[in-house]
Amino acid sequence: MVQKRIIRIGIGIIVGIAIMIFRLIQIQLYDTKSFSHRNIDLIAESVKQRSQQVVIDNGRGKFYDRNMVPLTHEAIPTLVLFPFLNHMEWDVEELAKIINVPSSDILHSLEDAEGPVMFGEPNPIVLTQEQMNAINQLEIPGVFAVEKHFDRKITPAAQLIGVLGENPEELKKRYPDKDIPVSTMIGISGLQKSFDEFLLQEESTKLIYHVDGRGAPLFGIDVKYVTQSNPFYPVKIQTTIDYDIQTKAEELVDKHNIKIGGLILLDIETNSILASVSRPAIDITDPYANNGIKNMMHTAHIPGSVFKTVIAAASIDHQLISPERMFNCSVTIHGEVDQQYDHGMLNFKDSFAASCNNTFATLAMELTEKDETIIETYAQLLGLNEINGWQGDIYHFEDFKQLSDEEKGYVYLDDVERKDSKLNAQTGIGQQSVRITPLAATNMMATIARGGEKKMVRAVESIQYNNGTDLYTFPIKKLEGDHISSYTASKLQQLLREVVTNERGTGKSLNNLPYTVAGKSGTAETHRKDENGNELLNRWFVGYFPYEKPKYAMTVVNLDVTEGEGWATPLYKDMVKFLYEMDQ
């Protein structure tokens, strides 16, 4: 009996030891980088416990504007002090002289420090190059002048650039064959997501020293400078954004109190985004709050009268208009007396300038009687119901898209709408099911300004190695498919200019600006109401300038505003003035 009990106890001990040995093998050999359900990197955590460090650069690729001004970070030359200075004699007076502060301030910053400190935190001191050189020439252990990369508190063009986050499941899904720490930040939206594989965090650059359990130096007071083993990384993404224009655009959007909507500006020659502002703004602590992560410039909205440009192009080509033809612009699209507008009988040119609904409802019905797909065809010719952002094959990426979150516009939801003349009347004035993005609307204006030539929109100009040489340059590319003729484009140019110069024009407040503007306004009914029962509207102005020698195409859109407020033209006017002054 006793013998059996001893055997059972012995077996239990052996099993227990075997379990412990298996667990040790699991920890030491197999799960060192993804231990437990939380995927803890045991090696990294062990190093953290035995070291104190200052990360100078996290190792992820960075975004820059077209002139290589940093967009996602600021490189600040600052002073780093290590806490072991508290336990040694060093020339604090000489350091104080270089940075022009009392030595007591320096010593005070080290009191009770458990790790390295940046002098002056939370607003670290900014050093000159001369100060940096002088500090490092002192060769005091634990005293370093370094250029540290700080994330910007507010990223310009935040929705276009996108946000980062930790997502171990998505990380594994995207990169199943890569051995990457589960804590690696990845792009969740915008260009951060599109270019994630190029930007993936490599080895960080840091100052590091090892400590014992009490925080004392383990191997003396030598501080190591650890940097990338590959001099070509991290890469730099050179966007097409202009930092100065972007900053002003954001300032003006907020000045004009745009809560939902924004502004997008293209360089017509290169078809590149110079500025992109989307509201609501992102709350970096909760990017999904209030839809802040969503880029409203890449989202399809009801365009209203902006869409009349499509009907105008089709009507020109199919000879539905002549100088003599008149339209009754004192009635609604249903033939009832218009209680809001009483323009009387107008020709086509004046109808476009005044944005007469009855004219374009009539033309839309006549066009679809000829061909029920004709409106969709002309929307396609002007790029409104296709992807406008740059796409193509680069390296092993097939059909790489710069703007991965761009929505495609559309005209109809089903065949019933195509065949119904009354619904087509609504379609002709940019209502019913019509949806377009501000990006596509801006590109339509650029296309017309160029005489009908469609191009893809670029947000990124190049990917550069860390040493400044090009890894890949994104060429200017044409949008595939047919486009409007140069004749049709020239006629549309004249009509768009009439919107601003005609006494009936809906954009006449933009006349007499230093840059001559051509464009089209739009006020769309959303068939939704606010909490007070007021109808919500989308207000647009899309256009290009200067008219004689087009340089910029721009869209301003103010969404979910009520009657009598939220006009797009005041912001448009201020941006045109700013760009003119900047160009001088």
Side-chain angles (χ1 to χ4, degrees), residues 159-374:
Q159 288 88 350
L160 176 65
I161 299 297
V163 297
L164 298 171
E166 283 188 27
N167 188 329
E169 290 183 5
E170 179 64 20
L171 181 72
K172 198 168 187 178
K173 180 181 173 183
R174 284 188 199 176
Y175 311 111
D177 301 325
K178 289 190 176 184
D179 184 18
I180 308 172
V182 292
S183 60
T184 299
M185 301 285 276
I186 58 173
I188 303 300
S189 67
L191 298 177
Q192 290 278 20
K193 181 180 179 181
S194 301
F195 287 83
D196 192 56
E197 189 160 348
F198 294 100
L199 297 164
L200 265 182
Q201 182 177 327
E202 299 283 340
E203 189 176 2
S204 58
T205 300
K206 54 197 171 189
L207 293 170
I208 184 171
Y209 84 107
H210 295 277
V211 296
D212 60 20
R214 296 168 298 171
L218 190 61
F219 304 121
I221 54 176
D222 288 336
V223 176
K224 292 183 178 181
Y225 178 78
V226 179
T227 188
Q228 286 277 353
S229 56
N230 188 335
F232 293 106
Y233 291 89
V235 301
K236 300 174 181 179
I237 305 293
Q238 182 187 20
T239 69
T240 61
I241 291 292
D242 185 293
Y243 178 79
D244 293 333
I245 297 176
Q246 178 67 36
T247 303
K248 187 64 177 182
E250 302 211 17
E251 175 192 319
L252 290 174
V253 164
D254 293 333
K255 175 186 171 184
H256 287 274
N257 202 33
I258 292 185
K259 302 296 186 184
I260 307 175
L263 174 156
I264 183 165
L265 176 73
L266 296 186
D267 176 292
I268 288 177
E269 182 181 358
T270 62
N271 226 48
S272 301
I273 299 174
L274 295 175
S276 178
V277 185
S278 177
R279 293 292 181 267
I282 290 181
D283 178 356
I284 201 65
T285 61
D286 186 4
Y288 292 93
N290 300 318
N291 235 1
I293 199 171
K294 195 177 188 72
N295 192 334
M296 293 298 173
M297 299 302 99
H298 300 172
T299 304
H301 311 287
I302 308 170
S305 296
V306 168
F307 195 73
K308 291 172 183 174
T309 311
V310 174
I311 306 302
S315 299
I316 291 166
D317 282 358
H318 289 80
Q319 301 176 343
L320 295 184
I321 54 174
S322 65
E324 298 79 25
R325 185 175 182 184
M326 305 297 285
F327 300 87
N328 187 352
C329 292
S330 292
V331 299
T332 67
I333 64 174
H334 306 298
E336 302 163 350
V337 174
D338 194 325
Q339 301 296 326
Q340 190 172 7
Y341 300 108
D342 182 18
H343 292 303
M345 301 299 292
L346 298 181
N347 62 20
F348 179 71
K349 180 190 73 173
D350 290 341
S351 291
F352 191 86
S355 203
C356 171
N357 283 341
N358 187 44
T359 301
F360 289 88
T362 300
L363 292 170
M365 289 189 287
E366 291 178 8
L367 286 165
T368 50
E369 284 174 9
K370 291 174 175 287
D371 178 354
E372 65 186 35
T373 66
I374 198 167

Side-chain angles (χ1 to χ4, degrees), residues 395-414:
Y395 299 115
H396 62 282
F397 298 95
E398 291 184 5
D399 196 29
F400 176 84
K401 292 182 176 68
Q402 286 193 2
L403 307 177
S404 58
D405 60 350
E406 179 192 355
E407 294 181 2
K408 187 185 287 190
Y410 50 90
V411 178
Y412 301 110
L413 291 178
D414 53 41

Side-chain angles (χ1 to χ4, degrees), residues 21-37:
I21 291 173
F22 173 78
R23 189 63 164 164
L24 285 170
I25 292 172
Q26 180 187 20
I27 292 170
Q28 294 288 334
L29 299 180
Y30 295 105
D31 292 343
T32 54
K33 291 196 174 184
S34 57
F35 179 69
S36 84
H37 67 281

Side-chain angles (χ1 to χ4, degrees), residues 56-64 68 70 73 75 147 149 198-200 202-205 225-238 462-472:
I56 298 170
D57 183 351
N58 63 14
R60 184 174 173 86
K62 306 289 192 297
F63 286 89
Y64 298 78
M68 297 309 291
H73 71 285
E147 190 173 75
H149 288 180
F198 294 100
L199 297 164
L200 265 182
E202 299 283 340
E203 189 176 2
S204 58
T205 300
Y225 178 78
V226 179
T227 188
Q228 286 277 353
S229 56
N230 188 335
F232 293 106
Y233 291 89
V235 301
K236 300 174 181 179
I237 305 293
Q238 182 187 20
S462 70
I463 306 171
Q464 298 182 7
Y465 288 118
N466 197 40
N467 63 5
T469 58
D470 283 350
L471 169 60
Y472 186 81

Side-chain angles (χ1 to χ4, degrees), residues 352-355 499-500 502 504-509 520-521 541 569:
F352 191 86
S355 203
V499 170
V500 176
N502 194 301
R504 302 176 186 274
T506 56
K508 62 184 179 183
S509 65
K520 185 73 188 77
S521 64
F541 196 88
T569 47

Side-chain angles (χ1 to χ4, degrees), residues 388-580:
N388 282 251
W390 195 100
Q391 54 186 322
D393 298 340
I394 62 172
Y395 299 115
H396 62 282
F397 298 95
E398 291 184 5
D399 196 29
F400 176 84
K401 292 182 176 68
Q402 286 193 2
L403 307 177
S404 58
D405 60 350
E406 179 192 355
E407 294 181 2
K408 187 185 287 190
Y410 50 90
V411 178
Y412 301 110
L413 291 178
D414 53 41
D415 276 340
V416 172
E417 292 182 348
R418 287 186 186 87
K419 298 176 186 297
D420 190 309
S421 62
K422 289 184 178 179
L423 295 182
N424 271 312
Q426 291 281 352
T427 299
I429 62 171
Q431 293 287 161
Q432 194 55 30
S433 298
V434 181
R435 300 292 185 275
I436 67 173
T437 66
L439 173 71
T442 314
N443 201 24
M444 174 176 70
M445 289 294 122
T447 296
I448 293 168
R450 281 192 298 264
E453 183 186 15
K454 292 196 300 185
K455 293 180 181 179
M456 294 181 183
V457 176
R458 295 189 309 168
V460 171
E461 188 170 319
S462 70
I463 306 171
Q464 298 182 7
Y465 288 118
N466 197 40
N467 63 5
T469 58
D470 283 350
L471 169 60
Y472 186 81
T473 299
F474 291 91
I476 298 171
K477 290 180 67 174
K478 292 182 179 181
L479 270 176
E480 294 181 1
D482 294 334
H483 55 82
I484 59 171
S485 68
S486 58
Y487 172 81
T488 305
S490 69
K491 290 296 182 182
L492 290 176
Q493 290 168 7
Q494 295 167 28
L495 290 171
L496 293 168
R497 181 62 178 149
E498 281 286 331
V499 170
V500 176
T501 59
N502 194 301
E503 63 178 12
R504 302 176 186 274
T506 56
K508 62 184 179 183
S509 65
L510 299 174
N511 204 6
N512 300 318
L513 289 176
Y515 272 150
T516 50
V517 176
K520 185 73 188 77
S521 64
T523 299
E525 296 177 356
T526 66
H527 303 293
R528 291 181 292 104
K529 295 184 178 181
D530 66 9
E531 62 276 8
N532 298 316
N534 298 311
E535 180 78 23
L536 293 174
L537 308 170
N538 292 344
R539 298 206 188 274
W540 298 66
F541 196 88
V542 305
Y544 67 91
F545 50 94
Y547 174 69
E548 298 81 5
K549 198 173 182 180
K551 183 174 183 179
Y552 302 107
M554 185 168 70
T555 291
V556 168
V557 60
N558 200 359
L559 304 170
D560 288 358
V561 297
T562 55
E563 187 66 50
E565 67 170 16
W567 304 101
T569 47
L571 171 55
Y572 209 96
K573 181 189 294 185
D574 282 353
M575 271 302 293
V576 172
K577 287 179 179 177
F578 165 73
L579 290 166
Y580 176 82

